Amino acid sequence: MKKRLLAGLLSLTMLTAQVLPVVAADDADVTVSENFSAEEETEEAVEETGLYDIELEEEEVGDVDDAEEGEFFYDIAAFDDDVIIDEYSVDADVPSYIFTDDSSEKVLIVNATINGNTYDLSTTVEYDTKISYRARKIKPYEDLGARVVSSGLNNLVQELATGSGDISNVIQWKFKAKKNVNAASDSFFTLKASVNKSLAKNAGITGKSLKTLNKAVKAFNKAAKAKTSRLGFTIVPISVDIMRAEKSITAVGKYRGFIFATEFAGYSHMRGRLEPDQPDSVSSSTYKKWTKLSKKDFKVKKVKGRAKTYNIEPKGKNFYGNSYTVTFN
């Protein structure tokens, strides 16, 4: 109430309309462990509404365009009074659905013949093969912990070195990921090697030795680009039921303020906690720190005969689970 009064006073002073995104209350119950104690909801907000008991408007609701920075205020509606969770803990610093998992090693077997000599350039890469959906590009090094743990190229550097310089970083590695945004999209990354010429020179690798090393790197990179050398990983979709139980997803509504009155302008978009370092709750200063979710991941429709009430249905690719309703204040 204080926030709305403040918005009204600002409107009176500045004589401008202000837009107020508001986080909606969940109407439906969620089954998942431990009980929450939350703010009380109005009768309309806590009314149980099953998926097949509601009438929906025919038109699907799209995102409302954001206004310019500085025009936003928002309020948070009450969550469900009680949310029951069976297998998941809401006490953890990181929600149960945000994870990387299944550390694995893959060996890229590469042999190359250079100037009549055969070299074993086989390389072992260690990385996590599963990660929860993040609504952004997954980066092999930063997100999956990908690293080269051994390589025949490093062995060749050791064989060719004649100087006293450090040889540990003569070979440098780069990871390049593909299909690395959406869940269940055959995600993978490839490995590419390069020679740090300055460090190679310090290690005494020059002339014919440097040419040999460069040819070995070229042969390795050609083999590493092959389909059989792809380093696959899985982006796992997220259960909206669990997110709701852990209070980590919300619908944002748009409001306009005119002096002391506020006018509801409709559903705007969804926000969710998808990163381990994001705040564990939303407030007027933190809601933008949650990830803005794509409208392509949810069907949002008005509920017929119920003011400011919308049905939210995950489409099943990046988010799955039961549909539910939200009501804005």
Side-chain angles (χ1 to χ4, degrees):
M1 186 66 185
K2 290 180 180 178
K3 293 177 185 174
R4 290 189 181 174
L5 181 58
L6 178 58
L9 291 173
L10 289 172
S11 296
L12 182 61
T13 304
M14 301 174 66
L15 298 178
T16 58
Q18 296 186 353
V19 179
L20 185 63
V22 175
V23 181
D26 288 355
D27 259 5
D29 293 331
V30 183
T31 300
V32 190
S33 148
E34 288 188 15
N35 294 330
F36 283 110
S37 175
E39 300 174 25
E40 290 185 4
E41 294 178 336
T42 63
E43 253 180 54
E44 183 185 40
V46 297
E47 179 185 347
E48 265 193 52
T49 307
L51 176 60
Y52 300 104
D53 297 327
I54 57 178
E55 284 190 79
L56 303 177
E57 300 280 357
E58 287 189 5
E59 288 189 13
E60 188 171 335
V61 179
D63 287 1
V64 175
D65 291 336
D66 288 346
E68 293 179 5
E69 191 73 26
E71 293 183 351
F72 279 111
F73 294 90
Y74 85 104
D75 194 9
I76 298 177
F79 284 86
D80 295 344
D81 286 337
D82 292 294
V83 180
I84 301 172
I85 304 178
D86 292 328
E87 321 177 17
Y88 311 100
S89 171
V90 298
D91 297 326
D93 291 336
V94 179
S96 59
Y97 59 85
I98 301 176
F99 66 89
T100 53
D101 202 2
D102 290 350
S103 181
S104 177
E105 286 188 355
K106 183 168 181 177
V107 180
L108 307 183
I109 299 175
V110 181
N111 293 292
T113 300
I114 302 169
N115 299 329
N117 296 315
T118 300
Y119 299 95
D120 180 3
L121 308 179
S122 297
T123 298
T124 301
V125 182
E126 184 175 279
Y127 66 100
D128 290 318
T129 60
K130 287 185 180 179
I131 186 169
S132 55
Y133 174 71
R134 303 294 168 89
R136 60 169 174 80
K137 291 182 178 179
I138 300 300
K139 300 176 181 179
Y141 178 76
E142 293 87 341
D143 297 321
L144 303 176
R147 61 192 182 277
V148 173
V149 294
S150 65
S151 175
L153 284 172
N154 290 330
N155 296 338
L156 179 57
V157 166
Q158 189 171 11
E159 181 181 324
L160 296 174
T162 58
S164 57
D166 180 20
I167 64 172
S168 60
N169 292 311
V170 171
I171 300 296
Q172 299 188 334
W173 306 99
K174 183 177 180 180
F175 304 102
K176 187 173 182 180
K178 296 282 189 179
K179 299 181 179 180
N180 57 331
V181 176
N182 293 311
S185 55
D186 298 322
S187 307
F188 69 92
F189 65 95
T190 54
L191 179 64
K192 185 176 182 179
S194 62
V195 177
N196 184 311
K197 293 180 180 179
S198 177
L199 293 179
K201 184 178 179 180
N202 290 341
I205 303 174
T206 58
K208 290 183 179 180
S209 294
L210 183 59
K211 287 182 180 180
T212 297
L213 182 59
N214 284 332
K215 286 180 179 180
V217 166
K218 186 176 180 180
F220 173 85
N221 288 338
K222 183 178 180 180
K225 286 167 63 176
K227 192 171 182 178
T228 53
S229 296
R230 290 177 177 177
L231 300 157
F233 63 97
T234 301
I235 300 174
V236 181
I238 297 175
S239 166
V240 170
D241 297 338
I242 298 174
M243 291 187 75
R244 290 181 61 218
E246 299 192 4
K247 296 186 178 179
S248 297
I249 189 169
T250 190
V252 178
K254 188 177 245 188
Y255 284 70
R256 292 188 180 94
F258 297 96
I259 306 180
F260 294 104
T262 54
E263 176 189 2
F264 179 66
Y267 164 85
S268 176
H269 64 276
M270 303 288 290
R271 293 261 175 181
R273 185 184 180 192
L274 299 187
E275 305 284 354
D277 58 351
Q278 288 177 333
D280 59 7
S281 62
V282 287
S283 68
S284 57
S285 61
T286 63
Y287 90 99
K288 284 190 176 181
K289 292 183 179 180
W290 277 12
T291 303
K292 185 175 182 180
L293 309 181
S294 172
K295 64 182 180 181
K296 294 180 180 179
D297 284 323
F298 298 90
K299 283 184 182 178
V300 181
K301 294 184 178 182
K302 292 181 181 178
V303 176
K304 196 171 182 180
R306 296 182 63 187
K308 305 177 186 177
T309 301
Y310 295 80
N311 187 70
I312 311 291
E313 181 182 353
K315 290 188 176 180
K317 182 172 179 62
N318 296 316
F319 297 93
Y320 66 94
N322 296 308
S323 67
Y324 63 101
T325 59
V326 295
T327 299
F328 294 96
N329 294 326

